Amino acid sequence: MTEYRASFDASVTFSNGGDLTVHGFRVDVPSADVDEATIGALFVASLGLLMTGTVELSNVEIVAEPHKGTRGGPSDRSGRAVRPGGRLVELGHVIRAGMVTYPGLPAPEITPHLTRKASREAYAAGTEFAIDTLKLVGNTGTYLDSPYHRFAGGGDLTTIPLEGTVDLPAVVVRVTGTRASGIDVGALAAVDVRGAAVLLHTGDDARFGTPAYAEDRHFLTRAGAEWLAEQGAALVGIDAINIDDTDDRERPAHTVLLAAGIPVVEHLTGLEQLPPTGATFTAVPLRVEGFGTIPVRAFARLPG
């Protein structure tokens, strides 16, 4: 279903004095034919403005754009009971032989260990099986990083609890269309992330598997990672080539989040299917001892 946002300039006066002027402000709106009074009310609610006198809008434009979770808007589910039973949506890339996830890492290889033809010799007539060998690095497709990926003494994949990767409240932070590549505190501070899977929706996944995936890439800044850790995020995911700026060899986002025991899921896809809040997120890794990263079946359940 198409979602809409309103772009506008606004001038606000307050009953106790003072005024506020904004240009090019945007809020989520319920439909393409929303009236200006509703837009004005959403603007006031989104900023939590008190004692407003008049609200005058100009240059109003309705655009087809995914909701970003405007406070009090049509996709704001804070304080509302979320009905279970919504449909499941895939959020991970399909693993195929020869695929490129990250430039320079080897592609997965899928080869037969026992062919169906060879298996017929061991079973009754009409009974056959195939057993294949899968060779891949942990950083293939959509995968989860455990603390051991970054720290020699960090917990490996066997230490990731189910409670930390199953049915987490999903908070989607949309930065699609922004000029800045770095996702900083300003993009995060308006949302409640405590105990949530914070999913950074950049839109970079549209270039996955192509050389352009590594160009103009989005990433989480050090300050953004520190804020998420301080606020108690349970998991952080991104639909980009890396959660860090790949030009920064210190890898601050990995360092900060994994030091705090917060798993990282990279190379997500399909985040445009999720509302800003109200869905749940699951990405369970295999329990491999002495291993730091592994592909996951990442998915979400939408609100009913």
Side-chain angles (χ1 to χ4, degrees), residues 239-253:
D239 60 352
I241 195 168
N242 201 296
I243 200 165
D244 269 300
D245 179 358
T246 53
D247 289 335
D248 188 341
R249 298 177 65 180
E250 290 188 352
R251 296 295 196 266

Side-chain angles (χ1 to χ4, degrees), residues 164-175:
T165 57
V166 176
D167 288 341
L168 296 174
V171 173
V172 180
V173 177
R174 300 201 199 281
V175 296

Side-chain angles (χ1 to χ4, degrees), residues 24-238:
F25 200 88
R26 292 197 177 194
V27 295
D28 301 344
V29 294
S31 64
D33 57 358
V34 62
D35 58 50
E36 288 194 8
T38 300
I39 296 171
L42 285 167
F43 167 62
V44 170
S46 70
L47 295 181
L49 299 177
L50 302 176
M51 303 185 71
T52 56
T54 62
V55 179
E56 296 182 0
L57 305 184
S58 59
N59 299 321
V60 177
E61 181 183 3
I62 307 301
V63 295
E65 186 175 83
H67 288 163
K68 296 184 184 294
T70 297
R71 185 191 308 175
S75 291
D76 179 14
R77 290 178 172 81
S78 58
R80 307 182 197 175
V82 177
R83 292 176 292 164
R87 66 186 178 91
L88 298 172
V89 294
E90 297 278 7
L91 299 177
H93 293 285
V94 175
I95 294 176
R96 297 181 174 90
M99 72 183 290
V100 175
T101 298
Y102 192 96
L105 291 181
E109 301 175 15
I110 303 174
T111 55
H113 170 73
L114 178 68
T115 65
R116 295 185 183 279
K117 181 178 179 180
S119 76
R120 295 168 192 161
E121 299 179 5
Y123 301 102
T127 302
E128 61 184 27
F129 295 92
I131 301 176
D132 297 312
T133 298
L134 174 62
K135 180 180 179 181
L136 52 72
V137 295
N139 295 42
T140 298
T142 303
Y143 54 82
L144 179 143
D145 295 341
S146 69
Y148 182 77
H149 176 52
R150 171 65 179 81
F151 302 103
D156 63 14
L157 293 171
T158 67
T159 69
I160 303 296
L162 290 175
E163 293 81 3
T165 57
V166 176
D167 288 341
L168 296 174
V171 173
V172 180
V173 177
R174 300 201 199 281
V175 296
T176 52
T178 58
R179 298 185 183 92
S181 297
I183 303 169
D184 211 352
V185 177
L188 307 166
V191 295
D192 181 4
V193 303
R194 185 165 301 278
V198 181
L199 308 178
L200 307 176
H201 179 204
T202 72
D204 289 5
D205 60 312
R207 307 193 300 271
F208 180 82
T210 72
Y213 191 46
E215 301 170 3
D216 300 321
R217 56 204 177 272
H218 289 82
F219 58 89
L220 180 65
T221 66
R222 180 190 296 274
E226 290 172 344
W227 188 87
L228 289 172
E230 291 167 359
Q231 296 298 313
L235 178 149
V236 181
I238 192 169

